[in-house]
Amino acid sequence: MSGLLRAAPGGTGTPTGTPSPERPGARPPARQDAARRRAGRVSSTVVTLGVVSFLTDVSSEAVTAILPLYVTASLGLSVVAYGVVDGLVQGAGALVRVAGGWAADRTDRPKWVAAVGYGLSALTRVGLLFAAGLPAVASLVVTDRVGKGVRTAPRDALIAASANPRNLGRSFGVHRALDTAGAALGPLLAFVVLWAIPDGYTTVFVISLGAAVLGVGALVFLVPDLRPRQAAWLKTHRTRESRGLPKCKGCTCEAPGGLQLTGRPFSWSFLRRGATVRLLVVAGLLGLLTVGDGFVYLALQDRDGFATQWFPLLFVGTNAVYMLLAAPVGRFADRFGRARVLVWGHVLLAAAYACAAAPFAGTTTTVVALVLLGAFYAATDGVLSALTSALVPVAARGTAIGTAQTVTAVARMAASAGFGVLWYATGRVDALWIATGALVLAVPVCAYLLRRSPA
């Protein structure tokens, strides 16, 4: 019998071939693997919100894709006029993003705040069917951007509330992939319409309206009414015993109806946190150096001289790359640092500007520029929301996301308006090289500012 026992390091023995007793509370390996697989999955709510965004982006991007041509070719206005319109599009919804996030935090009903924004955008599609002239169209497009501003932060707060905290980047990436699929399909539909009907703007607007209505319906009837602040509050009380704390005296969190929320729904104190402030500074600085994509596309068209009916395909190319890379880049950001990916992703944007400014024309440089633009958005758009979500308390999540997006949008609005003037004053090539050089200088500075980011 002595040969059937082997000495253990601690001086005890275990029969050969007999599994060692498991530690109390330890999961079997099969259960651990299953738990890891479940933790790595993307929530069905995130996927449903992605479908909502897919339909809405089919609607909005079909209109956005024809805007540069409508202003510069159909109406015969200059790139300065387009710069003003593009700046309005970029910044119209900026300030209301904070309001949308605040309303979601205050009411703890982010779904219904988002529904207001989606509904407002759908109503503008009706107006586009009857609008005539630049002022009316620009006003409706701006109103659409206001709706986008209202819905964006509450929607992202819903994504963060539905996602595993360790997979925030991946969850936002999956949502952005579906969102961008719609952003790619919208310009493609616009291209088909303009190819078949040279002046088919009304047809584009009808398609846009139908997609917007479907998106609102999917949100209202398919997305659950999550209450992130209530869930976090109840979890804190229900886990007191497992964390070695006594139960609250007279706590009713397990009773029917649950514990009632008390106190302020959120605090603006997140704006005093060093990591959050540094993130906002970096977002603003990089936003000031991010001009509208329409300028890059106009530069490519001006250099290569391709027909105007192919113009919407440039949007399709960028969005197709973004769609393919959003989820894997989000997962990469979760593993290697969201702040690093956010900042260094702007190197891709600088390279895209360089491709558009390069003196040699051809399909290769155009395709490379579109790939770089799509990769840039994959590395920055969803990653910014994921990083912000990880840095602030649940009770202020919507407001913080809205604040970060507002800083970025206002900065990009200024960048678009300023770049239009720069293009007019110096020409296409010099303006793009100036933007490229400024980005190359800014990225290392921003990387230094976020070097100690905890997420």
Side-chain angles (χ1 to χ4, degrees):
M1 295 295 292
S2 60
L4 298 177
L5 297 177
R6 293 181 181 176
T12 61
T14 304
T16 303
T18 302
S20 300
E22 296 180 357
R23 296 187 305 273
R27 293 180 177 178
R31 292 186 180 181
Q32 290 178 347
D33 292 341
R36 280 194 293 268
R37 285 194 296 270
R38 286 193 298 270
R41 292 174 182 170
V42 174
S43 165
S44 61
T45 300
V46 173
V47 175
T48 305
L49 286 167
V51 172
V52 173
S53 293
F54 167 83
L55 293 166
T56 304
D57 267 25
V58 168
S59 174
S60 62
E61 295 303 321
V63 175
T64 301
I66 64 175
L67 188 62
L69 281 179
Y70 185 77
V71 173
T72 61
S74 180
L75 298 180
L77 300 178
S78 69
V79 292
V80 175
Y82 171 67
V84 173
V85 173
D86 188 65
L88 290 173
V89 169
Q90 294 284 348
L95 296 179
V96 296
R97 294 192 186 204
V98 178
W102 177 85
D105 289 334
R106 178 72 181 179
T107 63
D108 203 27
R109 301 278 188 181
K111 169 184 171 176
W112 297 110
V113 177
V116 171
Y118 281 106
L120 183 61
S121 294
L123 288 175
T124 64
R125 304 298 185 264
V126 179
L128 284 172
L129 294 174
F130 305 99
L134 178 63
V137 172
S139 298
L140 288 167
V141 171
V142 168
T143 303
D144 171 59
R145 296 297 94 179
V146 170
K148 180 179 176 65
V150 169
R151 69 181 181 250
T152 301
R155 180 204 63 201
D156 284 356
L158 280 172
I159 294 171
S162 306
N164 186 315
R166 298 171 61 183
N167 293 331
L168 274 174
R170 184 182 181 188
S171 296
F172 275 99
V174 168
H175 171 269
R176 295 309 197 260
L178 290 168
D179 178 277
T180 309
L185 181 58
L188 182 60
L189 289 173
F191 161 73
V192 172
V193 170
L194 292 181
W195 178 76
I197 310 171
D199 295 321
Y201 295 108
T202 300
T203 304
V204 173
F205 297 153
V206 170
I207 294 172
S208 176
L209 173 61
V213 171
L214 289 175
V216 174
L219 174 68
V220 171
F221 296 109
L222 299 180
V223 174
D225 185 18
L226 298 180
R227 305 193 64 184
R229 181 163 53 94
Q230 183 183 64
W233 181 274
L234 295 179
K235 181 179 178 181
T236 298
H237 282 261
R238 288 172 177 167
T239 59
R240 287 178 63 86
E241 189 173 359
S242 63
R243 292 184 289 125
L245 299 173
K247 281 193 172 184
C248 298
K249 185 177 181 180
C251 182
T252 61
C253 61
E254 300 291 349
L259 188 67
Q260 297 300 314
L261 300 180
T262 59
R264 296 178 63 186
F266 77 97
S267 171
W268 288 96
S269 61
F270 72 88
L271 290 174
R272 296 195 296 269
R273 298 187 177 191
T276 306
V277 171
R278 287 192 295 271
L279 174 61
L280 295 177
V281 170
V282 166
L285 177 59
L286 294 175
L288 284 172
L289 302 175
T290 304
V291 303
D293 295 348
F295 285 112
V296 177
Y297 302 149
L298 287 172
L300 292 172
Q301 185 191 39
D302 184 43
R303 184 190 65 188
D304 296 345
F306 52 82
T308 56
Q309 64 262 32
W310 298 99
F311 190 85
L313 289 183
L314 298 177
F315 290 84
V316 176
T318 297
N319 288 328
V321 175
Y322 181 14
M323 176 184 65
L324 293 174
L325 295 181
V329 171
R331 187 173 184 178
F332 178 83
D334 287 331
R335 292 186 175 184
F336 296 100
R338 300 174 188 124
R340 295 189 188 96
V341 173
L342 173 68
V343 173
W344 289 102
H346 284 76
V347 173
L348 301 170
L349 181 62
Y353 292 163
C355 283
F360 39 89
T363 304
T364 300
T365 52
T366 297
V367 171
V368 171
L370 300 183
V371 170
L372 289 168
L373 274 178
F376 158 71
Y377 283 113
T380 56
D381 187 16
V383 174
L384 175 62
S385 294
L387 177 58
T388 307
S389 299
L391 292 179
V392 300
V394 173
R397 184 181 284 159
T399 309
I401 292 174
T403 301
Q405 292 172 343
T406 293
V407 169
T408 301
V410 169
R412 289 182 179 180
M413 177 182 65
S416 288
F419 189 79
V421 176
L422 183 63
W423 179 322
Y424 183 79
T426 66
R428 167 182 62 84
V429 175
D430 289 345
L432 285 169
W433 281 122
I434 291 172
T436 302
L439 264 178
V440 169
L441 293 175
V443 165
V445 175
C446 294
Y448 178 79
L449 291 175
L450 295 184
R451 69 193 184 282
R452 296 180 181 177
S453 175

